[in-house]
Structure formats: C-alpha cells, structure tokens
Amino acid sequence: MKQEVLMRINHWTNGFEVVHNGKQVLCHTYDNPMLFIGTGQEDIEMYRGNFKIEDYVTERMALRTFTLKEDEGSILIDFAGMIEMRLEISEEEMKLKFKCLDDALNRFWIRLSSDEEEHLYGLGEQMSHFSLRGKDYPIWTSEPGVGRNKNTYITWRSDVENKAGGDYYNSNYPEPTYVSSRHYFVHVHSTAYSKFNFKQKTFHEIEVWEVPEEISIVSADGYLPLLEKLTAEFGRQPELPDWVYNGLIIGAQGGTERSFSILEQALEKGIKVSGLWCQDWVGKKVTSFGKRLRWNWVWDEEMYPDLPKKMKEYKEKGIRFLGYINPYILEGTALYQEGFENGYFAKTFEDQEYLVDFGEFYCGVVDFTNPDAFNWFKDIIKKNLINFGLDGWMADFGEYLPTDLKLYNGKSAMIEHNHWPVLWAKCNYDAVVESGKLGEIVYFMRAGGNGTQKYCPLLWAGDQSVDFSIDDGLASVICGTLSSAMVGNGINHSDIGGYTSLFDNFRTKELFLRWAEMGAFTPVMRTHEGNRPETNFQFYNDEDTMVQLARLTTIYTSLKDYLKEAVKENHEKGTPVQRPLFLHYDEDNNLQKLQTQYLLGRDLLVAPVYLEGAETRDVYLPEDEWIHLWSGKEYAQGVYTIEVPMGQPAVFYRKNSFYKGLFEKIGTL
C-alpha cells in the first residue's frame, strides 16, 4: 500500500504540518512550537555504576518563527537563526537533519505529534513497563538497580546502603529508539543523555543534551516489515552456534574439581548439557557483596588446574566450556601494568591515573576510543579466551564509564557514555570474526546502545533479584525481552533463578523451577549460582529438582529445529525469536499492554508462571485455533484460567502449525 506524505504550509499562522498516511507527524505553529532550545548544567554522581543525575536548565526558548526554502530536493527550515532543520521526505521515511548555529546551546527539545490511542515500545531493554505511554524514560546506561520499585523494602534498603535501588526506567541497555502502534519508529542519532516524555495526550517530547545530528522517522505497512527496516538500519544479530541448542549451559564456580563434579552430577541425572560456564576461571575475590572475580583475564591455574585438558575432554563429548570477561582491569595485575605503561587507560583531566571503584577493589578503564588500546584488548580476547579454547563467555559490564575522565578521542565522556557498550560489543565481535569463529562462539552481554544489535549474538537480562517481584524478578525478564525485541534484539535469555541475593532475599526451589520452565521456552537455557551460592537454592543439591530439570532440558532440546528456524528468521529479517503477540495479531487491541506472555517463534504462545504460589494462570489467546500443549485441549480466542502444575507452564500451539507433530510429542514428555 502506497504511503501518503503531505507537507502543508500555513503562512497565516507561521506554521506547517507533515501528514503521513493520514496522520499528523509534525506540527509547528507560532502558538504551539515543535522545537525548543536552551542551555543547562548537569550534575552527575556515580557510585558503582549507579548514577544520580540532576540538571539545572538555565534557559529554554521556544523557536516560534521560521523561514523556509527548498534546497537540493529537500526543505530547509531556519528557526530564528538558532537551528537549521533539513527535512527530507520520502514515502516511508522522514529525516530531520539539524545544524546548530550557536555553539552555546546544549539542550534541545522536540515535540512529535501523537494521539490518545497510540502505544509505544522499545527504548532499548525496559524491565518494568512494555507499553511506555504515560511515563518518561531517561536514556542513560547504568546498573538497573536492585528491587527497582521505590515502594519495596529491598529497593529502599539498597538506596540507603548502596545508592543502588534503581527505578522503573533504569536499564543496562537504553536506546533512543521507539516503535509506535501507528507503525513507525523514531530514532535519535545521538549518544548524549536524552529523555523521552510520553505523558502528554497529543505529543511526545524528546529532550537531548546536545543538538542531535538527525532524527529518523520510518514507517511501514505493519510491525513485521517495520522491524525488518529497523534491523536493516542497526544491523542484525548473528545466528547462534548449533551446539547451544543441545542443552543447558550450567553455571558453576569454585575450581576444577567442584565445577566439573557439578557437571557430572547433572549428566548422571539425565540433564542435557551443552556447556559448562565457569565465570571464576580467572580467579576470585571475596567482598561484602559476595564472591567476585579477579579481573585479570587470564586463566587461574591455581583454582582451575588441568583446565585445558578438561576442556578438550568434554568438548569431545559435545560439551563446551565458557568463561567471563569485562572491559576493566584490576589494579596491580600484570595486565594492568602493561596497559598503564602503554597509555591504554582513560585518564583524569590532569593526565593522571584514573581508577573506578567496583566495590572494594579498583580498576582501570580501557580507552576504546584509542585504536591501539582497542586492538590491545581485542588481542587479549583472541589470545586469552579464543586461542585458549573457550567457546563462549559473558561479556559483562560496559555501563560504568564515568563522566569526569579524559578520553583519547577528545570527546566528552557525557557523549561517549551511552556509546561505550557498543564499543565493548564491537571489540568482542571483531575478536571473534578475525579469529574465524563467528557462528562457533557465543558471548552474551547485558549492556547496549545504538548499534549493539549487529555486534551482540545474545543478550542476557542482567542481574535480577532472586524472587517473584514484578519489577526485578522473573516477570521483569519477560518485559525486558519483549522491549529489547522491538529495537532489534530478538535473541535474549536470563539467569535461571535470578542472580542478586541481598537483605535476606534468597532463591527458593519454587522460583528456580518456575524460571527453568520459562527457560525451556527461550532461545538459550543457562543457570547461575548467584552472588551468594551457599545461601541460595541450587538445583544440584536436590534430587527432585534435577529430575524435573532433566525433563525441561529434554523439552528444550526437542525444540532445536523450531528454535533454529526462528533464530535464522531473526538474523535474516529482524523478526524476534520471543515476540509480542501483536506482531502477528495487529488488529487485536487486547494485546497492546500485554507483557507477561509472548510468542516463541510463530506458533508457540507462552505464558510463564511469574507469581509465587500460583496454581493457575490467566491467559489471553488471540483469534486463532489454539491447542494446550499438555492436555491437547482446543481453545478459541478469549481469556482462560489454566491450571499450571509444576513443570507445565501455560503453553499453547497453533493448530495448523507445520510443527504440530513435534508439539504433540513434547506434550507427552
């Protein structure tokens, strides 16, 4: 269907509007201007990846008047000699290109037209709200916070003791990109701090702490073609290695003897395993938070004797070994000394050593804007991880770039902060590609920004609390997966059972098993012992749990062909593996705010159990012919209360699916 784009000029009101496919997108009049500019002075305080950001706006000015002329096939609008906006319009895309005419300006606001029925999604990975309407969202990568709800005890205590409670908008992976239910997406071409205000009925206001280079507005005839365009813009995730689908990636730590004994114990109980992930392969440090890692990025021979031999032995059995790395280096280590002597770390403005507090230890920040430093760290990944024999790793952090340091490229850290996770992802990607291992190695990341998509084969949802809390527990993983999917990250997963245990909040058997149920219907299954392994429930300490987990891994591996097809579709078209229901049922208004159900591929509808003690789960089924996976009972469109005994989350498949026979078999397991 051909899109209609009109630009109407009204000289009587000194205004204009842009209408796209019958709906207003831009509107400017003297009384209701769309652009504002000004100046401000920010105050940034960072404490272990948590940021307190305050802004004093010294001036905000509405740009009411303009002059307009056609210039080289586009429309050039001069707003009072302060800002030029070049408007390039085609049938399905508008580019608003800006040029600041006053260097003193460092604050920018723009209003885009809306209507009351419009819903908005994306802005990176948002963990509390899938539908973004009615709130505002700062775009600033950081720790997501512990608890993430100011009304809870855990959040309150985290704030008081560690400045780490967080709020609904805190995210490892924010991105200035949103998708509208009107089938367009908006992307702000800037890495500066920004804020998206979706509280108004007739417009959305975007604030940027610089005059952005460009704002793109791209439309399509539906969600699927729109996501295809969006992912063509940012790049698409590579496909996962084939070995990943062969079972659970077990997270274990404590040295060779302990970690591999846990692996053997799992195998003896029939748990299908694809990998052993030992994040402490580099050694450990014990802090008040729990067991931390020694950030030196070399194999710790004392903790993991005979590791190369063990890795080779188990790889021959089809089980891969995974490790851990992040872009910071522990003060006092050999690698730190090498980086310091070569000038590879970011510095103070006085060109002195700059160290970051990571919680009772200090690290240097590898300056990825320095090509020599970037290549040095890339070679560390090649030599110490890939050539050593690792088949994967957690590429952790990326959010902690302080704003008061000096970078090699001369840019402000305020501008580079949101860009840092992308540089970190590219460093990993380049190391893998240059080693000829793309498609064989998998690394997973929690931090991201504009352009992470093409460099990150697998997201993970970060450090959830080990509980059923809506904002920071199991349910938050579903929301985060759906929101990140809407900006091109269609392959995501989480720590089964969560990670963060603080203030007498401990993982239970019920939580682990409900999380594992969900994990069986995701692209990747992986466990984590958490930050305090001894005080949290672990599957390998309970006979019944291992039996149940073995069954769930059988279900997961049975889905291999189905998952591979969905992952390939994500790579080729940008259609996410776990997807919002409205991608295929666009006319159903009941789906707009649904954030605890998802489609896995085209044909499976999954509604995880996310409430403690639940024996039933309310499920909404859109118009189609659905079959309950476990009972074989047929359902039509509607809301149903489904019994969910342990091991049987509410899962349905489409009756006319090509994979119907496979699903029928899985239903008997």
Side-chain angles (χ1 to χ4, degrees), residues 221-237:
D221 289 337
Y223 284 114
L224 293 176
L226 185 63
L227 286 181
E228 190 166 358
K229 289 183 179 183
L230 184 151
T231 53
E233 171 85 12
F234 295 120
R236 299 185 180 123
Q237 291 174 288

PDB file of all heavy atoms in Angstrom, residues 221-237:
ATOM      1  N   ASP A 221       3.931  -0.827   6.522  1.00  0.00           N
ATOM      2  CA  ASP A 221       2.524  -1.229   6.494  1.00  0.00           C
ATOM      3  C   ASP A 221       2.127  -2.103   7.682  1.00  0.00           C
ATOM      4  O   ASP A 221       0.974  -2.488   7.811  1.00  0.00           O
ATOM      5  CB  ASP A 221       2.222  -1.983   5.198  1.00  0.00           C
ATOM      6  CG  ASP A 221       2.226  -1.051   3.999  1.00  0.00           C
ATOM      7  OD1 ASP A 221       2.034   0.163   4.197  1.00  0.00           O
ATOM      8  OD2 ASP A 221       2.428  -1.533   2.876  1.00  0.00           O
ATOM      9  N   GLY A 222       3.081  -2.471   8.523  1.00  0.00           N
ATOM     10  CA  GLY A 222       2.785  -3.315   9.674  1.00  0.00           C
ATOM     11  C   GLY A 222       4.029  -3.477  10.519  1.00  0.00           C
ATOM     12  O   GLY A 222       5.119  -2.992  10.179  1.00  0.00           O
ATOM     13  N   TYR A 223       3.877  -4.161  11.647  1.00  0.00           N
ATOM     14  CA  TYR A 223       5.004  -4.322  12.564  1.00  0.00           C
ATOM     15  C   TYR A 223       6.156  -5.126  11.954  1.00  0.00           C
ATOM     16  O   TYR A 223       7.326  -4.766  12.118  1.00  0.00           O
ATOM     17  CB  TYR A 223       4.545  -5.027  13.845  1.00  0.00           C
ATOM     18  CG  TYR A 223       3.778  -4.157  14.799  1.00  0.00           C
ATOM     19  CD1 TYR A 223       2.436  -4.407  15.068  1.00  0.00           C
ATOM     20  CD2 TYR A 223       4.388  -3.091  15.452  1.00  0.00           C
ATOM     21  CE1 TYR A 223       1.730  -3.620  15.965  1.00  0.00           C
ATOM     22  CE2 TYR A 223       3.689  -2.303  16.356  1.00  0.00           C
ATOM     23  CZ  TYR A 223       2.357  -2.571  16.609  1.00  0.00           C
ATOM     24  OH  TYR A 223       1.660  -1.790  17.503  1.00  0.00           O
ATOM     25  N   LEU A 224       5.849  -6.226  11.286  1.00  0.00           N
ATOM     26  CA  LEU A 224       6.919  -7.086  10.775  1.00  0.00           C
ATOM     27  C   LEU A 224       7.775  -6.385   9.728  1.00  0.00           C
ATOM     28  O   LEU A 224       9.014  -6.401   9.835  1.00  0.00           O
ATOM     29  CB  LEU A 224       6.331  -8.392  10.242  1.00  0.00           C
ATOM     30  CG  LEU A 224       5.720  -9.309  11.311  1.00  0.00           C
ATOM     31  CD1 LEU A 224       5.088 -10.533  10.669  1.00  0.00           C
ATOM     32  CD2 LEU A 224       6.767  -9.742  12.325  1.00  0.00           C
ATOM     33  N   PRO A 225       7.177  -5.752   8.712  1.00  0.00           N
ATOM     34  CA  PRO A 225       8.034  -5.000   7.781  1.00  0.00           C
ATOM     35  C   PRO A 225       8.728  -3.822   8.447  1.00  0.00           C
ATOM     36  O   PRO A 225       9.821  -3.431   8.029  1.00  0.00           O
ATOM     37  CB  PRO A 225       7.069  -4.551   6.682  1.00  0.00           C
ATOM     38  CG  PRO A 225       5.705  -4.659   7.258  1.00  0.00           C
ATOM     39  CD  PRO A 225       5.770  -5.761   8.255  1.00  0.00           C
ATOM     40  N   LEU A 226       8.122  -3.263   9.494  1.00  0.00           N
ATOM     41  CA  LEU A 226       8.767  -2.162  10.200  1.00  0.00           C
ATOM     42  C   LEU A 226      10.022  -2.642  10.925  1.00  0.00           C
ATOM     43  O   LEU A 226      11.075  -1.992  10.876  1.00  0.00           O
ATOM     44  CB  LEU A 226       7.792  -1.539  11.194  1.00  0.00           C
ATOM     45  CG  LEU A 226       8.297  -0.282  11.923  1.00  0.00           C
ATOM     46  CD1 LEU A 226       8.556   0.854  10.935  1.00  0.00           C
ATOM     47  CD2 LEU A 226       7.298   0.151  12.994  1.00  0.00           C
ATOM     48  N   LEU A 227       9.935  -3.797  11.599  1.00  0.00           N
ATOM     49  CA  LEU A 227      11.104  -4.343  12.270  1.00  0.00           C
ATOM     50  C   LEU A 227      12.177  -4.752  11.272  1.00  0.00           C
ATOM     51  O   LEU A 227      13.378  -4.687  11.572  1.00  0.00           O
ATOM     52  CB  LEU A 227      10.711  -5.536  13.145  1.00  0.00           C
ATOM     53  CG  LEU A 227       9.974  -5.204  14.444  1.00  0.00           C
ATOM     54  CD1 LEU A 227       9.670  -6.469  15.223  1.00  0.00           C
ATOM     55  CD2 LEU A 227      10.794  -4.244  15.309  1.00  0.00           C
ATOM     56  N   GLU A 228      11.762  -5.174  10.093  1.00  0.00           N
ATOM     57  CA  GLU A 228      12.743  -5.506   9.058  1.00  0.00           C
ATOM     58  C   GLU A 228      13.537  -4.257   8.670  1.00  0.00           C
ATOM     59  O   GLU A 228      14.754  -4.306   8.473  1.00  0.00           O
ATOM     60  CB  GLU A 228      12.037  -6.106   7.843  1.00  0.00           C
ATOM     61  CG  GLU A 228      12.983  -6.707   6.827  1.00  0.00           C
ATOM     62  CD  GLU A 228      12.281  -7.583   5.804  1.00  0.00           C
ATOM     63  OE1 GLU A 228      11.055  -7.768   5.898  1.00  0.00           O
ATOM     64  OE2 GLU A 228      12.974  -8.094   4.906  1.00  0.00           O
ATOM     65  N   LYS A 229      12.850  -3.125   8.575  1.00  0.00           N
ATOM     66  CA  LYS A 229      13.539  -1.867   8.261  1.00  0.00           C
ATOM     67  C   LYS A 229      14.426  -1.422   9.425  1.00  0.00           C
ATOM     68  O   LYS A 229      15.561  -0.966   9.225  1.00  0.00           O
ATOM     69  CB  LYS A 229      12.521  -0.773   7.946  1.00  0.00           C
ATOM     70  CG  LYS A 229      11.797  -0.940   6.633  1.00  0.00           C
ATOM     71  CD  LYS A 229      10.866   0.240   6.399  1.00  0.00           C
ATOM     72  CE  LYS A 229      10.145   0.124   5.074  1.00  0.00           C
ATOM     73  NZ  LYS A 229       9.293   1.307   4.811  1.00  0.00           N
ATOM     74  N   LEU A 230      13.891  -1.535  10.634  1.00  0.00           N
ATOM     75  CA  LEU A 230      14.644  -1.098  11.807  1.00  0.00           C
ATOM     76  C   LEU A 230      15.949  -1.883  11.943  1.00  0.00           C
ATOM     77  O   LEU A 230      17.017  -1.311  12.188  1.00  0.00           O
ATOM     78  CB  LEU A 230      13.779  -1.250  13.056  1.00  0.00           C
ATOM     79  CG  LEU A 230      14.334  -0.759  14.388  1.00  0.00           C
ATOM     80  CD1 LEU A 230      13.199  -0.309  15.312  1.00  0.00           C
ATOM     81  CD2 LEU A 230      15.154  -1.824  15.110  1.00  0.00           C
ATOM     82  N   THR A 231      15.870  -3.190  11.778  1.00  0.00           N
ATOM     83  CA  THR A 231      17.069  -4.013  11.940  1.00  0.00           C
ATOM     84  C   THR A 231      18.021  -3.870  10.756  1.00  0.00           C
ATOM     85  O   THR A 231      19.227  -4.095  10.895  1.00  0.00           O
ATOM     86  CB  THR A 231      16.689  -5.487  12.146  1.00  0.00           C
ATOM     87  OG1 THR A 231      15.813  -5.916  11.095  1.00  0.00           O
ATOM     88  CG2 THR A 231      15.983  -5.674  13.477  1.00  0.00           C
ATOM     89  N   ALA A 232      17.503  -3.488   9.600  1.00  0.00           N
ATOM     90  CA  ALA A 232      18.390  -3.167   8.487  1.00  0.00           C
ATOM     91  C   ALA A 232      19.198  -1.912   8.813  1.00  0.00           C
ATOM     92  O   ALA A 232      20.357  -1.776   8.401  1.00  0.00           O
ATOM     93  CB  ALA A 232      17.588  -2.973   7.205  1.00  0.00           C
ATOM     94  N   GLU A 233      18.584  -1.011   9.571  1.00  0.00           N
ATOM     95  CA  GLU A 233      19.250   0.233   9.977  1.00  0.00           C
ATOM     96  C   GLU A 233      20.373  -0.041  10.973  1.00  0.00           C
ATOM     97  O   GLU A 233      21.481   0.482  10.853  1.00  0.00           O
ATOM     98  CB  GLU A 233      18.217   1.171  10.604  1.00  0.00           C
ATOM     99  CG  GLU A 233      18.780   2.398  11.264  1.00  0.00           C
ATOM    100  CD  GLU A 233      19.013   3.557  10.316  1.00  0.00           C
ATOM    101  OE1 GLU A 233      18.528   3.504   9.167  1.00  0.00           O
ATOM    102  OE2 GLU A 233      19.690   4.508  10.723  1.00  0.00           O
ATOM    103  N   PHE A 234      20.105  -0.871  11.983  1.00  0.00           N
ATOM    104  CA  PHE A 234      21.077  -1.089  13.053  1.00  0.00           C
ATOM    105  C   PHE A 234      21.971  -2.303  12.836  1.00  0.00           C
ATOM    106  O   PHE A 234      23.017  -2.421  13.470  1.00  0.00           O
ATOM    107  CB  PHE A 234      20.352  -1.247  14.398  1.00  0.00           C
ATOM    108  CG  PHE A 234      19.645  -0.015  14.846  1.00  0.00           C
ATOM    109  CD1 PHE A 234      18.278  -0.011  15.052  1.00  0.00           C
ATOM    110  CD2 PHE A 234      20.338   1.164  15.060  1.00  0.00           C
ATOM    111  CE1 PHE A 234      17.623   1.139  15.473  1.00  0.00           C
ATOM    112  CE2 PHE A 234      19.695   2.315  15.473  1.00  0.00           C
ATOM    113  CZ  PHE A 234      18.332   2.304  15.682  1.00  0.00           C
ATOM    114  N   GLY A 235      21.571  -3.202  11.967  1.00  0.00           N
ATOM    115  CA  GLY A 235      22.280  -4.467  11.825  1.00  0.00           C
ATOM    116  C   GLY A 235      21.559  -5.545  12.609  1.00  0.00           C
ATOM    117  O   GLY A 235      20.859  -5.267  13.585  1.00  0.00           O
ATOM    118  N   ARG A 236      21.730  -6.792  12.186  1.00  0.00           N
ATOM    119  CA  ARG A 236      21.008  -7.910  12.803  1.00  0.00           C
ATOM    120  C   ARG A 236      21.951  -8.851  13.521  1.00  0.00           C
ATOM    121  O   ARG A 236      23.106  -9.016  13.139  1.00  0.00           O
ATOM    122  CB  ARG A 236      20.210  -8.664  11.732  1.00  0.00           C
ATOM    123  CG  ARG A 236      19.169  -7.774  11.064  1.00  0.00           C
ATOM    124  CD  ARG A 236      18.298  -8.531  10.088  1.00  0.00           C
ATOM    125  NE  ARG A 236      17.321  -7.608   9.481  1.00  0.00           N
ATOM    126  CZ  ARG A 236      17.196  -7.399   8.181  1.00  0.00           C
ATOM    127  NH1 ARG A 236      17.941  -8.076   7.317  1.00  0.00           N
ATOM    128  NH2 ARG A 236      16.307  -6.525   7.727  1.00  0.00           N
ATOM    129  N   GLN A 237      21.417  -9.476  14.555  1.00  0.00           N
ATOM    130  CA  GLN A 237      22.210 -10.388  15.354  1.00  0.00           C
ATOM    131  C   GLN A 237      22.651 -11.598  14.532  1.00  0.00           C
ATOM    132  O   GLN A 237      21.884 -12.125  13.724  1.00  0.00           O
ATOM    133  CB  GLN A 237      21.396 -10.885  16.553  1.00  0.00           C
ATOM    134  CG  GLN A 237      21.108  -9.817  17.594  1.00  0.00           C
ATOM    135  CD  GLN A 237      20.179 -10.329  18.673  1.00  0.00           C
ATOM    136  OE1 GLN A 237      18.993 -10.529  18.427  1.00  0.00           O
ATOM    137  NE2 GLN A 237      20.701 -10.555  19.862  1.00  0.00           N
TER     138      GLN A 237
END
